[in-house]
Amino acid sequence: ETTRSLDPQRYPRNLLRFFPTVAKVLLKPFKMRLVLDVPIDATDVAEGKIWPEFAHTMIGLKRLENLKRSAETVIADGVPGDFIETGVWRGGACIFMRAILHAYDIKDRNVWVADSFEGIPAPDVEKYPQDRGENLHEPEYLAVSLESVKANFQRYGLLDDQVKFLKGWFKDTLPTAPVQRLAIMRLDGDLYESTMDALTSLYSKLSVGGFVIVDDYGNAENCRRAIADFREKHGIKDPIEKTDWCEAYWRKS
C-alpha cells in the first residue's frame, strides 16, 4: 500500500482528480495501490457512511446493534426460522449472525449467505427501469469472492455446517433455494431488481414475528420503491422503523 496525503493548497484540483487514475494504472502490475489519507469522522463509521479498506462489514455499529437486537428478539420470542442476508460483500453481517447463534448455543438455525460473489449485476433497464443510471456493477471493490468470504468466516472459527452459501444472481438462486423458514431477512442488494427478487422469493417464508431489514432504504430511491411496491401489492401494513440514515426494518405481524 502507498499512503499519501495531498494538500489542495499545494496541488491544482485537476491534478488531484487525474493523479489517482494514473497511479492506479502504474501501480497495478506491482499489486500496489494509492490510498489517499483523509480524515474520517467516528460518527460516519458508526452510521456506516464509509467504504472501509479492510473491515469485514461496512454497515456501521448502529446497524450491527439493530441486527443483534433483532436476532436476540426472535430467539427470545421463539420465532422459528433461519437467518439470511442477500448481498453480503465480505460477509461481516452474516458472520455476526452466526456468532450470535454460537453465543446462544443454537444448533437448529442456519445462516444463509446469498450473493453473486462477483459484484452487483448490471441494471436490467428493460425489465426494471427503476434501476436506470445505476453503475454499482462497475467498482471491483464490491466484488468479493466466495473463497474470501469463507476465509473471513474461518478467521472467527465460524465456518461450519450451519453456514449455507447461495452463489449466483438472486433471480437464479433464491426461487429454488432450499430455505424452509426464516426469522430474519436482511436485504442489501442496492437495486430495485435485487430487492424485489429477494422479497418475492423469501417473504412468504418469513415467520410471523420475524424481521425484514433493508440496508439501502434511506439512500437508494430504487430500493425504497421496491419496498413500497411490494408492500402495496401484498397489503403489508406493518410500520417501517428507521435504524439510521440508511437502514429501515419492519416486523411481520
Side-chain angles (χ1 to χ4, degrees), residues 6-19:
L6 300 182
D7 184 353
Q9 301 299 323
R10 296 178 57 194
Y11 299 93
R13 185 175 297 274
N14 59 346
L15 178 60
L16 292 178
R17 293 176 178 174
F18 177 69
F19 182 62

Side-chain angles (χ1 to χ4, degrees), residues 74 79-86 109-112 166 174 177-187 198-199 201-212 252:
V74 298
V79 178
D82 295 337
F83 301 166
I84 191 170
E85 184 177 41
T86 57
R109 296 182 194 259
N110 295 320
V111 174
W112 295 87
L166 297 171
L174 297 183
V179 179
Q180 299 300 316
R181 189 175 290 184
L182 291 168
I184 290 180
M185 292 173 51
R186 188 173 198 283
L187 313 184
L199 288 168
S201 295
L202 301 175
Y203 191 76
S204 62
K205 299 180 180 182
L206 185 68
S207 298
V208 171
F211 289 90
V212 180
K252 187 175 184 179

Side-chain angles (χ1 to χ4, degrees), residues 47-229:
E47 295 190 351
K49 291 184 177 180
I50 64 169
W51 288 8
E53 183 65 23
F54 302 110
H56 292 158
T57 181
M58 63 172 74
I59 68 175
L61 292 175
K62 289 186 178 180
R63 277 171 261 172
L64 285 171
E65 284 291 339
N66 184 55
L67 185 56
K68 176 176 180 287
R69 184 166 52 250
S70 300
E72 290 180 333
T73 297
V74 298
I75 291 170
D77 292 352
V79 178
D82 295 337
F83 301 166
I84 191 170
E85 184 177 41
T86 57
V88 307
W89 193 49
R90 292 175 181 159
C94 290
I95 294 169
F96 189 48
M97 288 191 287
R98 179 64 191 95
I100 293 170
L101 296 181
H102 177 74
Y104 283 89
D105 196 29
I106 294 174
K107 308 293 187 183
D108 60 349
R109 296 182 194 259
N110 295 320
V111 174
W112 295 87
V113 186
D115 202 288
S116 70
F117 301 101
E118 298 177 5
I120 295 172
D124 182 354
V125 295
E126 291 189 5
K127 189 173 182 180
Y128 299 101
Q130 300 89 342
D131 287 328
R132 187 180 304 276
E134 291 286 356
N135 62 352
L136 291 171
H137 61 289
E138 296 178 356
E140 296 179 5
Y141 180 84
L142 296 177
V144 181
S145 70
L146 174 59
E147 292 72 22
S148 295
V149 174
K150 285 185 175 181
N152 289 339
F153 270 92
Q154 190 63 60
R155 288 182 63 179
Y156 298 91
L158 293 171
L159 184 63
D160 59 17
D161 292 340
Q162 284 178 253
V163 182
K164 310 293 185 181
F165 294 91
L166 297 171
K167 184 180 188 302
W169 305 122
F170 297 158
K171 64 182 180 181
D172 300 322
T173 61
L174 297 183
T176 58
V179 179
Q180 299 300 316
R181 189 175 290 184
L182 291 168
I184 290 180
M185 292 173 51
R186 188 173 198 283
L187 313 184
D188 195 359
D190 296 273
L191 302 179
Y192 183 101
E193 175 183 2
S194 301
T195 304
M196 188 62 75
D197 284 345
L199 288 168
T200 300
S201 295
L202 301 175
Y203 191 76
S204 62
K205 299 180 180 182
L206 185 68
S207 298
V208 171
F211 289 90
V212 180
I213 304 172
V214 188
D215 186 83
D216 307 298
Y217 187 84
N219 74 320
E221 172 60 32
N222 46 353
C223 170
R224 191 160 54 251
R225 174 47 52 193
I227 296 297
D229 289 349

